[in-house]
């Protein structure tokens, strides 16, 4: 029998996150770290798998022990790693963070001389799997360099706006070369938006993509750029979702005592995929995503902190996140 389509395929960044095991301590004074799977699209796949979805990642690692660790972690989290391939020329990226709750989490990316996940090549893609996936999730970082940019656009064109194609705006300015000649990041974003059906981003990311920072104006600009659904993440102000058909959901966040805000957006992303796949009401999907994100914000890690359905349902029932333990 032919293989069933994936529920979710994500494409892009992967790496090792090294987080201090004590919060409120600068890196210069940290003595012990925890090692975790990281990279936004990889975390989204983990989040979707935790919610019961069949998920896979298209990415590349270094041909080194950290690369082997990441593949092992994906498998343990229930994410298919068949399209995670090694690159001999570049080491697996490492990211350090400082954790100063409730809202200061500086990131330090070590992706030099080049990250392997930017070496994804169009010729390597399983375009049939990409085309038939119920949700395909790509990110702005995948557009910042070749050959990843061409591979990402090739995948988008293969989709031809079929199913649900999500553009996670994912603006990381340090990954982009200084604008000297050629199209700007905003132009690259507009090119990709023409192939997406859903766009997700915070206000900074929406501004790069559309030039708009006001949430409703940014959502309308994303729809004008071609998507059916615009999701604008506003942190402590909650999330705004606007559909081309006029449906609007403006949902407040779930109360939470923040331990580490990193990864909350990826949990939201996995929950968004889950709700879209389930055909849920837009407001219900946003509430579920907010709850998933709040649970991860109450935990130190990202990937291993992604919640299971019973945890999200409990948080929604309680109206707040009160348990700070890691997922189990």
């Amino acid at each position: 029998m032919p293989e069933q389509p994936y529920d979710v395929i994500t494409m892009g960044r992967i790496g090792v996150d090294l987080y201090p095991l004590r919060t409120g301590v600068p890196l210069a004074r940290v003595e012990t770290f925890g090692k975790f799977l990281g990279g936004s699209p990889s975390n989204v796949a983990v989040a979707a798998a935790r919610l019961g979805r069949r998920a896979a990642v298209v990415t590349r690692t270094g041909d080194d022990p950290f690369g082997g660790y990441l593949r092992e972690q994906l498998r343990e989290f229930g994410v298919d790693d068949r399209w995670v391939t090694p690159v001999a020329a570049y080491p697996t990226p490492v990211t350090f963070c400082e954790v100063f709750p409730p809202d200061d989490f500086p990131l330090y990316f070590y992706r030099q001389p080049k990250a392997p996940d930017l070496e994804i090549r169009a010729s390597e893609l399983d375009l049939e799997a990409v085309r038939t996936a119920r949700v395909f999730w790509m990110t702005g970082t995948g557009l910042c360099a070749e050959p990843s940019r061409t591979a990402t656009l090739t995948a988008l064109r293969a989709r031809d706006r079929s199913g649900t194609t999500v553009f996670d705006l994912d603006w990381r300015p340090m990954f982009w070369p200084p604008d000297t000649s050629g199209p700007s990041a905003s132009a690259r974003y507009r090119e990709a938006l023409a192939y997406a059906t859903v766009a997700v981003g915070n206000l900074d990311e929406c501004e790069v993509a559309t030039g708009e920072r006001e949430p409703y104006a940014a959502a309308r600009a994303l729809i004008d750029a071609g998507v059916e659904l615009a999701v604008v993440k506003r942190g402590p102000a909650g999330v705004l979702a606007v559909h081309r058909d006029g449906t609007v959901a403006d949902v407040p966040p779930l109360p939470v005592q923040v331990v580490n805000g990193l990864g909350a957006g990826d949990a939201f992303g996995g929950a968004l995929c889950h709700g879209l796949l389930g055909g849920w009401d837009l407001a219900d999907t946003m509430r579920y995503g907010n709850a998933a994100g709040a649970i991860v914000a109450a935990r130190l890690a990202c990937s291993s902190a992604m919640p299971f359905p019973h945890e999200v349902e409990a948080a929604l029932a309680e109206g707040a996140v009160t348990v700070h333990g890691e997922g189990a």
Side-chain angles (χ1 to χ4, degrees):
M1 293 179 61
E3 192 172 51
Q4 291 297 308
Y6 286 84
D7 291 323
V8 180
I9 293 179
T10 69
M11 178 175 175
R13 205 161 72 245
I14 196 169
V16 175
D17 286 347
L18 294 173
Y19 287 176
L21 296 183
R22 290 176 57 201
T23 63
V25 178
L27 281 181
R29 290 172 43 207
V30 173
E31 295 181 353
T32 54
F33 296 85
K35 179 169 100 276
F36 306 99
L37 168 78
S40 181
S42 300
N43 283 335
V44 169
V46 171
R50 279 271 169 99
L51 295 173
R53 299 299 180 175
R54 183 172 182 242
V57 181
V58 179
T59 190
R60 306 198 73 184
T61 69
D63 189 9
D64 52 28
F66 275 155
Y69 162 76
L70 293 174
R71 292 192 63 166
E72 179 181 298
Q73 284 290 284
L74 287 170
R75 291 192 295 268
E76 287 187 7
F77 289 131
V79 176
D80 195 323
D81 70 334
R82 69 178 65 186
W83 299 304
V84 183
T85 57
V87 177
Y90 303 117
T92 300
V94 175
T95 303
F96 289 87
C97 83
E98 293 177 303
V99 182
F100 297 106
D103 58 4
D104 186 18
F105 308 102
L107 285 168
Y108 301 89
F109 293 97
Y110 291 81
R111 292 169 59 87
Q112 291 82 24
K114 186 181 185 181
D117 54 58
L118 294 176
E119 283 291 295
I120 301 172
R121 298 179 181 275
S123 60
E124 299 172 328
L125 298 177
D126 184 340
L127 291 179
E128 181 62 22
V130 168
R131 185 181 299 111
T132 59
R134 299 175 67 196
V135 175
F136 177 68
W137 180 289
M138 46 71 64
T139 77
T141 294
L143 302 173
C144 75
E146 292 290 5
S148 172
R149 179 186 303 126
T150 293
T152 302
L153 292 171
T154 298
L156 289 173
R157 293 186 184 108
R159 294 280 295 175
D160 195 24
R161 296 176 59 84
S162 61
T164 299
T165 302
V166 184
F167 183 0
D168 176 1
L169 301 179
D170 183 42
W171 172 241
R172 303 285 184 178
M174 69 286 292
F175 297 165
W176 289 75
D179 286 336
T180 52
S181 62
S184 66
S186 295
R188 300 292 189 191
Y189 273 50
R190 288 193 296 272
E191 183 178 6
L193 281 168
Y195 297 101
T197 62
V198 180
V200 184
N202 62 32
L203 292 177
D204 289 339
E205 293 165 341
C206 289
E207 186 174 21
V208 171
T210 69
E212 300 283 356
R213 280 193 68 84
E214 194 282 320
Y216 282 88
R220 287 191 295 269
L222 289 168
I223 290 171
D224 289 343
V227 304
E228 298 295 315
L229 174 64
V231 180
V232 182
K233 297 184 289 188
R234 299 182 290 164
V239 63
L240 170 69
V242 179
H243 196 278
R244 182 180 293 276
D245 67 8
T247 306
V248 176
D250 194 342
V251 179
L254 209 63
V256 59
Q257 183 177 337
V258 174
V259 173
N260 184 358
L262 301 172
D266 302 333
F268 177 93
L272 172 65
C273 294
H274 186 56
L276 292 173
L277 287 166
W280 297 357
D281 172 83
L282 187 58
D284 288 343
T285 301
M286 295 304 111
R287 281 190 284 268
Y288 198 93
N290 276 353
I295 289 168
V296 172
R299 298 169 172 172
L300 177 64
C302 289
S303 52
S304 62
M306 295 299 166
F308 293 92
H310 71 273
E311 295 176 300
V312 182
E313 290 155 10
L316 287 170
E318 294 171 10
V321 174
T322 56
V323 179
H324 293 180
E326 298 297 311

